[in-house]
Amino acid sequence: MHDVKATLHTLYVPGVAILIGIAYFVAGLVGDDTRFGVIGLALMTAVAGAWVVLARYSETVKGLMDRKDERIRGIDKDASLFAGWILIVAVIGAFVVQVARGADTSPYAELGAIGGVAYIGAVIVLRLRR
Amino acid sequence: MKNVVRALRTQADISQAALAEAMGVSRQTINSIETGRYLPSLPLAIALARYFETTVEETFFDA
């Protein structure tokens, strides 16, 4: 049972990459842009394959895939937090620039709102659980 | 915070890889703990202390 769980954890990252590739493929077919769909699927499949291959040589990549190591999980969390902050700054910056230009603030206003609601929701849920 | 994980490990004559396997973490994590770059969680600190049949206070301490 433990081995099955560990294997599923290991397949999580490449699995998500392939699912994104399939989403690109379907979007390409629906949007009548087959080239985008095929290239998107091929690219994301290559990314999934690269993760699997790199995991054989890099303890960090392996750790990011199997999620067993608390230090790697901490690194992943901090890296995600950093990326999130950069994204927030970029969205707010773009929103302010659009306002200054007198242009449409979409989609930056919506993205900022989603981020704000997600943050408040997460704080409420985490506060109830801890 | 300092620790004596490296001293305990060399006394026990086991490799970082073997200790990592026993603790369910990577060899890099054991190395980071030994060099003081990473402070382990309480469960991992307890597991390390129990593995070497000592206490958390004796394994990890203020410098």
Side-chain angles (χ1 to χ4, degrees), chain A residues 5-125:
Chain A
K5 199 175 174 185
T7 304
L8 286 175
H9 274 204
T10 304
L11 294 174
Y12 180 75
V13 173
V16 168
I18 288 174
L19 280 178
I20 292 171
I22 291 170
Y24 287 166
F25 183 70
V26 172
L29 291 183
V30 172
D32 205 20
D33 190 350
T34 311
R35 187 169 177 269
F36 169 85
V38 170
I39 291 173
L41 178 58
L43 190 69
M44 294 313 291
T45 303
V47 168
W51 269 94
V52 173
V53 172
L54 279 173
R56 293 182 186 175
Y57 303 100
S58 166
E59 286 181 78
T60 302
V61 174
K62 185 174 180 296
L64 284 171
M65 285 175 69
D66 65 22
R67 325 290 297 172
K68 275 174 27 187
D69 190 310
E70 64 171 45
R71 179 177 138 272
I72 299 287
R73 284 201 304 270
I75 289 171
D76 180 46
K77 190 189 278 187
D78 288 347
S80 299
L81 182 66
F82 178 74
W85 273 111
I86 295 296
L87 200 57
I88 288 166
V89 169
V91 166
I92 291 173
F95 173 77
V96 169
V97 167
Q98 290 296 88
V99 170
R101 282 178 174 168
D104 182 12
T105 56
S106 187
Y108 307 111
E110 290 85 347
L111 288 172
I114 289 169
V117 169
Y119 177 79
I120 291 167
V123 167
I124 291 169
V125 170

